[in-house]
Amino acid sequence: MQLIIFDCDGTLVDSQHTIVGRMTAAFKGLGYAAPNPGEIRELIGLSLEETIQRLLPNSNAVAVDHLAAAYQEQLIEYHGSDGPLEPLFPRAEKVLRTLHSRGYLLGVATGKSQHGLEVILEGHNLRGIFSTLQTADGHPGKPNPSMLHQAMTETGVEANDTLMLGDTSFDMAMAVNAGVHPVGVVWGYHCADALRVAGARTVLEDYCDLLPCVEEMWPEV
């Protein structure tokens, strides 16, 4: 069996507008200056706490906790008010369903909360094709390899038969740390050079490139 693990934000769905908007609202709501939108985008993929710590240097634990709670409340309110669901990237669904139909195991490793990930997958009717979901709720943030180790444990797949697909240097570093195949994508939030520096063995230009990449990596399947 082979396991393909996807990052969520910037890899499966284009969630930058939701994340930037809700983070900005959380900061303003607690009386802080709004962070630079570009800086928020660069940090997408890290755990919520680490993201806030980087956006608000020298902040104490209480401030981080308050901002994290405010951000989560913003997201719950946003999705609860029928805000638009974060869109899948072009051709993502077709490729995901094709991989699933060919017998590959699929998983997600994301800095999102479990609730946030479930909202996305249920909203796009994709929950049933994933065999393992790893989120920030139960693991240290990227690039710690804990999420990938747990995904492999749950599915019984070895590192050499596991691929991590992601759009950020954090994803690639996590893959390297776990000993799995790091594959970057350019449709997300970090550039191709940053992905390669972080360890990406290849960088894909389009979702359709994933199928031949996988076939070349595991030709016996």
Side-chain angles (χ1 to χ4, degrees):
M1 277 291 194
Q2 282 76 30
L3 172 63
I4 303 171
I5 302 175
F6 297 78
D7 169 53
C8 184
D9 299 311
T11 302
L12 286 177
V13 295
D14 189 2
S15 50
Q16 60 177 311
H17 300 297
T18 300
I19 292 171
V20 170
R22 298 309 95 203
M23 188 66 74
T24 298
F27 268 69
K28 287 184 174 180
L30 292 179
Y32 296 103
N36 180 283
E39 188 177 2
I40 298 173
R41 280 191 291 271
E42 280 293 310
L43 297 175
I44 292 174
L46 291 177
S47 69
L48 178 54
E49 289 74 16
E50 184 169 354
T51 297
I52 291 169
Q53 288 168 353
R54 293 198 186 192
L55 293 174
L56 193 66
N58 303 315
S59 54
N60 58 38
V62 173
V64 171
D65 287 346
H66 286 170
L67 277 165
Y71 175 77
Q72 295 287 16
E73 289 171 5
Q74 285 284 337
L75 282 181
I76 292 170
E77 180 181 348
Y78 176 81
H79 289 122
S81 62
D82 296 324
L85 187 65
E86 291 85 345
L88 291 165
F89 283 100
R91 292 166 289 285
E93 181 174 2
K94 179 180 179 181
V95 171
L96 286 166
R97 295 195 184 280
T98 299
L99 289 167
H100 182 251
S101 70
R102 293 183 183 180
Y104 293 100
L105 297 177
L106 306 182
V108 178
T110 176
K112 297 181 85 66
S113 68
Q114 186 74 25
H115 173 75
L117 177 59
E118 295 282 359
V119 167
I120 294 293
L121 297 183
E122 294 289 351
H124 288 290
N125 196 29
L126 290 173
R127 176 62 186 88
I129 70 172
F130 289 99
S131 300
T132 179
L133 302 179
Q134 307 302 323
T135 71
D137 287 354
H139 299 278
K142 301 173 183 178
N144 188 293
S146 174
M147 286 192 279
L148 298 185
H149 287 160
Q150 184 61 29
M152 289 186 284
T153 296
E154 288 184 3
T155 56
V157 178
E158 299 295 327
N160 194 51
D161 287 321
T162 301
L163 180 156
M164 174 69 206
L165 191 78
D167 70 298
T168 70
S169 57
F170 317 128
D171 298 313
M172 299 301 97
M174 178 174 66
V176 170
N177 290 339
V180 308
H181 299 281
V183 176
V185 303
V186 299
W187 54 79
Y189 309 137
H190 286 188
C191 69
D193 286 345
L195 296 172
R196 292 190 180 96
V197 167
R201 296 182 185 176
T202 188
V203 178
L204 307 183
E205 300 282 340
D206 186 278
Y207 246 106
C208 289
D209 297 333
L210 180 56
L211 293 169
C213 173
V214 167
E215 291 168 352
E216 182 179 354
M217 186 176 299
W218 298 309
E220 73 279 5
V221 176

